Amino acid sequence: MAVTLPVPAPRAPSDGRRAPGSPVARWYEDELGWATADGPPVCLPTGLRFDVLDLPAAAGLAVLRRVRGDWPVAVAGRRMSVLVAAGSAEELPGLLDWLEWGGVGLDLAARGAGDRMAAPTPPGWDASGTPGAAVWLRPPEPGCEVEATLAGFPGVAGGAGSPGRSGLVRLVAVAATECHRVRLLAAAAGGRARSRGAALR
C-alpha cells in the first residue's frame, strides 16, 4: 500500500530574498506597498488600504464626468471599481438609506474587509492577451499614499476635507443616481425590443 506524504510549501530563500512570484503581485507590493493575494488572477485585499465601490461601467463613466476626484478607478468588462476610503463598504447600506435609495434595486455594491478585487494590469503593461481583464482607467501613483486621494467621510483618511475633492456622500449619491438611470434605460430598451418583436409576429 503506497503512502502519500504532503509536500511542504516552498520556503523563502535563506539569504532574505523573496521567492519568485507573479510579476503583477511583485509590482503591487514593490511599487505601491499593497498586499496581494495569490491567483490566478492576482487579487488585492480590500479593507486594508481601501474599499471598492462596484458599479456598471456605463454608470461609472457618468460618475467620473460629474464628480471631481483623483481616486484610482479600474474597469473589467462592463464593471467599474472605484477605490474609496477603507471602512466605506460597511457604511454603504446606511448611506443609501439616508440618501433615500434604500430598497431600490441598484446595481451598486461595495467590497471591504475580508473581500478582494482582481488586480488590474499595472499601468503601461500589455493587457491585450487577457480579454476582459481588469485595467486601470485612472491608476494609482507609485510612491504616493493612495489614502490621500480616496473619497471618504470628513475626518477619515481620504475624507472630504481637502479642497477640490468630493467626499463619499457626494460620490455615492451620484453613483446611485447613475446606476438607477442605467437600469431605467436598459428596461426601456428591453421594452422597445419586445414591442418590435411582437409587431413582427
Side-chain angles (χ1 to χ4, degrees):
M1 179 178 194
V3 177
T4 57
L5 297 173
V7 177
R11 293 185 301 177
S14 57
D15 62 3
R17 289 180 292 120
R18 188 174 53 208
S22 160
V24 172
R26 284 199 308 272
W27 186 87
Y28 279 98
E29 292 164 3
D30 295 344
E31 297 296 324
L32 299 177
W34 292 5
T36 61
D38 290 336
V42 173
C43 290
L44 304 173
T46 54
L48 302 176
R49 306 281 299 271
F50 56 83
D51 286 353
V52 171
L53 285 184
D54 177 78
L55 66 165
L61 290 172
V63 170
L64 296 184
R65 287 191 295 270
R66 292 182 55 193
V67 183
R68 292 175 58 190
D70 299 322
W71 6 268
V73 177
V75 177
R78 296 182 177 185
R79 305 297 299 179
M80 181 178 284
S81 296
V82 177
L83 273 59
V84 293
S88 299
E90 62 192 46
E91 302 293 340
L92 183 63
L95 186 50
L96 288 172
D97 283 344
W98 183 75
L99 291 166
E100 299 185 355
W101 285 106
V104 178
L106 300 174
D107 191 5
L108 175 64
R111 290 194 291 275
D115 291 328
R116 54 180 64 182
M117 68 176 279
T121 304
W125 292 31
D126 183 15
S128 59
T130 317
V135 294
W136 286 112
L137 185 62
R138 187 190 288 165
E141 268 188 64
C144 296
E145 289 294 318
V146 71
E147 290 88 343
T149 67
L150 303 179
F153 286 115
V156 177
S162 298
R165 196 171 44 192
S166 295
L168 186 65
V169 174
R170 166 98 173 121
L171 179 60
V172 169
V174 174
T177 300
E178 295 301 337
C179 286
H180 189 56
R181 187 188 318 272
V182 165
R183 182 171 167 250
L184 292 176
L185 290 172
R192 285 193 299 272
R194 283 192 296 277
S195 297
R196 279 195 302 270
L200 293 174
R201 274 186 248 146

